[in-house]
Amino acid sequence: MTSSSKPADIDINQLVQDNDAGGRSPGPVVKRLLLVVALCWSLFQLWIASPLPFSLGIFMFNDTESRAVHLAFAVFLGFMAYPATKNSPRHHVPLLDWALALVGAFCAGYLFIFYREIASRPGQPTTFDVWTAVVGIVLLLETTRRVLGLPMVIVALVFLAYTFAGPHMPDMLAHRGASLDRAMTHQWLTTEGVYGVALGVSSGFIFLFVLFGSLLDKAGAGNYFIKSAFALLGHMRGGPAKAAVVASAATGIISGSSIANVVTTGTFTIPLMKRVGYRGDQAGAVEVSSSVNGQIMPPVMGAAAFLMVEYVGIPYIEVMKHAFLPAIISYIALFYIVHLEALKAGMQGLPRRTVSTGSQRLLSFAMTVSGFIVLSGITYAVITAIKSMAGAAALPLIGALLLSAYVALLWISARQPDLPLDDPNAPVFELPETGPTVRSGLHYLLAVVVLIWCLMVEQLSPALSAFWATMFMVFIILTQKPIIGLLRGQAAVGADFLAGCKDLIDGLETGARNMIGIGVATAAAGIIVGTVSLTGVGLVMTEIVELLSGGNLMLMLVLVAVISLILGMGLPTTANYIVVSTLMAPVVVELGAQSGLIVPLIAVHLFVFYFGLMADVTPPVGLASFAAAAIARHDPIQTGVTAFFYSMRTAILPFLFIFNTQLLLIGLSGPLHLILTVVTAVTAMLVFAAATQGYFLVRSRWYETVGMLLVCFTLFRPGFWMDMVAAPFQNVKGEAMAQVIAEAPAGTSKRMWIEGLNLNGDEVRKGVLLPLGAAGDMKQRLQSAGVTVMNDGQGLLVAAVRFGSTAEKLGLEQGFHITSVEMPADRPAKEWWFVPALALLGLIVWAQRRRLKLQAP
């Protein structure tokens, strides 16, 4: 393939439509029907997320019922919107697809339609139940094939086959198998399979976040974010590429799709990057790397991040907190990579409309940041005061304040010119003016503020937070055009309101159609999860992976990363995450515990999530790279390879935060420790970017590259070197354990070593991090974690483990011994290793500055 042939002929909009919303465009009657169904789906999701059903006492749905209705909508729209093959008709819906859509929707909604009857006969399915489940699974897999492709179907079929072929498998993989009645009941009529946690998360709050992003985009926020990024950064060296990075980070709030994000910003940014000197593959790779990383950027992350809430058992705000620093340093590193490429090529920025000095720009930036901080503080103080003094009247008062802020920002927006998208291929391009551009859409940020406020300050559930933010977006879409028209003295209020209604309908439809893929992906992945719970294959996977890795944690992490990349070539990120985290996350935690490394579960799940994202980049199947290459009119394989090298900064982060959980903001001792962690992590990532690009201040020599990699490793994981000098913990045994446990501060956890034979007769020796709860004596504190112990002379004998307790989840069993408790050793802080690392970095800077002066004319 040449760099100018095939990609140039790709219809980008068709690629996005085929992948995210279905490629079929039927006649007007069917099109209106699909619009009505999509609107009903969006309104149903808003209804079940709102407080209204419980306030009014009508149309209340439990979790199982709402999951069934959710899947019924997804399956119906999947058959109607996605053609069966590339040669299938796209301008009308064949009769066969009508039949499959209706039957599939009935089977998917079977649990809702006959919920009471099925609940009255648990474990006793009728023949009709079983055949409905069989047909339902077949049609679900066919929908999955149309929407997501064949690989996901093959993976699901392999697991289904394993369910029935258990007695005929090799000894290590053998199990007693399951009958058709038992397997179908488990997969389709319970919440252990298709209607399990994954589909529940899709129905519960992923839909609302996708809908929020869709409405934000229809309101005009996507264009605003892109133009603002260009106005602020386009004048810099390599400015269009830097603006692409920031714009993609911002539109990551809007779009949960890597491909849609590439096309939204890339159609504008990629041609401009090429104009200022970037090669086609570089321009496409920058867009791909920044767009894919939009899924790891809080507050609205990719769909898989919401699944972590259920799988890890922590609030979404905690997921956001742990993901924040890696996302920020990943974007900073990409920004720096773009800068280095611009330096190497001697690029210049685009011309400004107005010229200002560096000190003026710095003063303006400082005033903007300080003003934002002051305004945030005042807002928080005022709302807190209103809530404490106004009582029941607080909510209307806060609503009035929000409305006043909205009207004030619209008044500011009305005084600015509209922001049409410029033609990136125009012969002359001039940056938009910074002030008017930024001021023109500040009211869009209010919706994001509402979402973050509900999540972080009010600490509402993700579903309720997304509901209120979405309802505010509905209000913005309906009112922004009429109010701006009135403020500009225009009289077309009715026409502006109708235009807002059209935008709202388009947003509700787009949100629903973008959810088809996630809905069927989470349902199909439920087949795999159901197989794991029915057959116990998870324990088998533990043994196989441990055998392949030889008990080496690093080798096993590499194995998990490779599995994620391979599966990601055929599965979307969400399905990939479900499959790999279900099978591999417990294995990583268990093997880490056996080697003395306490790996938090959130670190393992983020590890899997990050490598699932990499599959959108990695050739030969990285669809995001393919879309970017089509815009850049360049070879998709070369674009994917370049994007992979740019994304290496994302690939090393998961390995680092497994061994240094401070990067996930875990285990920090105070504000100074937080600042030190952030500064060193950012510095380390910038050094890594410079090392992999082979360019720092000037082109690097090989030994300077090695030195920078050593500096990067030390800044990211200083404990590696300190552990060689002195052990991080000392073991306390015998009667002294009681004193150590009793004297531990309230609310902390202690590292303990346990030994014993488990229920399978296997010898277990591993470390666990056991929470100790409130102050008290040793037995009281261990009982708070679910462990009852007695001293038998060999240590603390576990006499009982409470069902469902933290101790049970950590793998403690009756008859185990707690042999020792670890205390932090009295040794120098590991952060002292930053000093030699920074000294080495300073030496490299000095050497390169000397060469830079010699090269200067």
Side-chain angles (χ1 to χ4, degrees), residues 66 218 268 303-304 312 325 423 448 582 615 643 701 771:
S66 62
K218 290 296 178 183
F268 187 60
V312 183
L325 182 56
D423 179 6
V448 181
T582 301
R701 291 172 178 165

Side-chain angles (χ1 to χ4, degrees), residues 45-240:
Q45 296 291 160
L46 286 171
W47 174 262
I48 63 174
S50 74
L52 290 176
F54 301 97
S55 301
L56 301 177
I58 57 172
F59 298 119
M60 291 185 291
F61 300 88
N62 62 34
D63 285 346
T64 305
E65 291 173 317
S66 62
R67 292 174 192 182
V69 175
H70 178 83
L71 183 58
F73 275 117
V75 169
F76 181 83
L77 288 173
F79 278 114
M80 298 293 284
Y82 288 82
T85 66
K86 291 181 179 179
N87 298 323
S88 297
R90 292 177 176 267
H91 300 294
H92 73 274
V93 181
L95 287 176
L96 177 61
D97 284 1
W98 276 100
L100 294 176
L102 292 171
V103 174
F106 170 78
C107 294
Y110 188 76
L111 263 182
F112 168 73
I113 299 168
F114 299 104
Y115 181 77
R116 297 195 177 203
E117 291 84 346
I118 294 171
S120 66
R121 44 181 167 78
Q124 297 176 325
T126 64
T127 303
F128 190 65
D129 290 343
V130 174
W131 282 109
T132 300
V134 171
V135 174
I137 285 181
V138 170
L139 293 182
L140 171 61
L141 292 177
E142 169 57 15
T143 317
T144 303
R145 184 194 65 80
R146 294 185 181 205
V147 178
L148 305 176
L150 200 56
M152 181 72 194
V153 178
I154 293 173
V155 173
L157 287 174
V158 167
F159 276 82
L160 275 177
Y162 179 73
T163 301
F164 300 109
H168 311 290
M169 301 295 286
D171 288 344
M172 180 175 279
L173 297 173
H175 63 93
R176 64 181 184 177
S179 65
L180 181 67
D181 286 10
R182 183 163 178 250
M184 292 300 103
T185 302
H186 186 82
Q187 294 283 10
W188 202 258
L189 301 181
T190 72
T191 55
E192 295 292 324
V194 170
Y195 298 95
V197 170
L199 188 63
V201 174
S202 175
S203 169
F205 43 88
I206 292 177
F207 191 106
L208 292 169
F209 280 89
V210 170
L211 183 60
F212 171 73
S214 174
L215 293 175
L216 199 57
D217 187 38
K218 290 296 178 183
N223 185 25
Y224 169 70
F225 288 148
I226 295 169
K227 298 301 286 289
S228 296
F230 268 86
L232 290 166
L233 302 169
H235 66 283
M236 295 181 176
R237 192 188 293 267

Side-chain angles (χ1 to χ4, degrees), residues 34 40 78 83 90 128 148 307 326 332 335 350 385 392 413 422 488 501 590 621 665 673 696 790 820 827 849 856:
L34 295 185
C40 288
R90 292 177 176 267
F128 190 65
L148 305 176
L307 290 163
I332 290 174
F335 194 90
L350 295 169
S413 178
D422 293 317
R488 288 177 174 173
C501 290
E590 183 67 21
V621 195
L665 304 184
H673 197 184
F696 194 15
M790 56 185 293
S820 63
R827 67 173 191 173
R849 282 178 66 87

Side-chain angles (χ1 to χ4, degrees), residues 71 123 147 151 157 204 218 249 269 274 283 322 368 378 393 423 427 429 436 471 508 564 617 670 672 773 812 822 839:
L71 183 58
V147 178
L157 287 174
K218 290 296 178 183
T269 60
K274 291 178 68 178
H322 296 316
T368 302
I378 292 173
D423 179 6
F429 180 83
M471 294 311 296
L508 292 172
S564 296
V617 177
L672 290 178
L812 272 76
E822 291 186 344

Side-chain angles (χ1 to χ4, degrees), residues 685-731:
M685 188 52 77
L686 295 180
V687 172
F688 178 78
T692 53
Q693 291 300 109
Y695 197 98
F696 194 15
L697 303 179
V698 293
R699 193 166 298 281
S700 301
R701 291 172 178 165
W702 70 267
Y703 53 84
E704 291 174 333
T705 298
V706 172
M708 284 189 282
L709 289 174
L710 186 62
V711 170
C712 167
F713 180 77
T714 304
L715 293 179
F716 269 130
R717 199 185 166 201
F720 178 83
W721 306 111
M722 186 57 75
D723 291 349
M724 291 183 175
V725 177
F729 299 100
Q730 59 183 10
N731 287 325

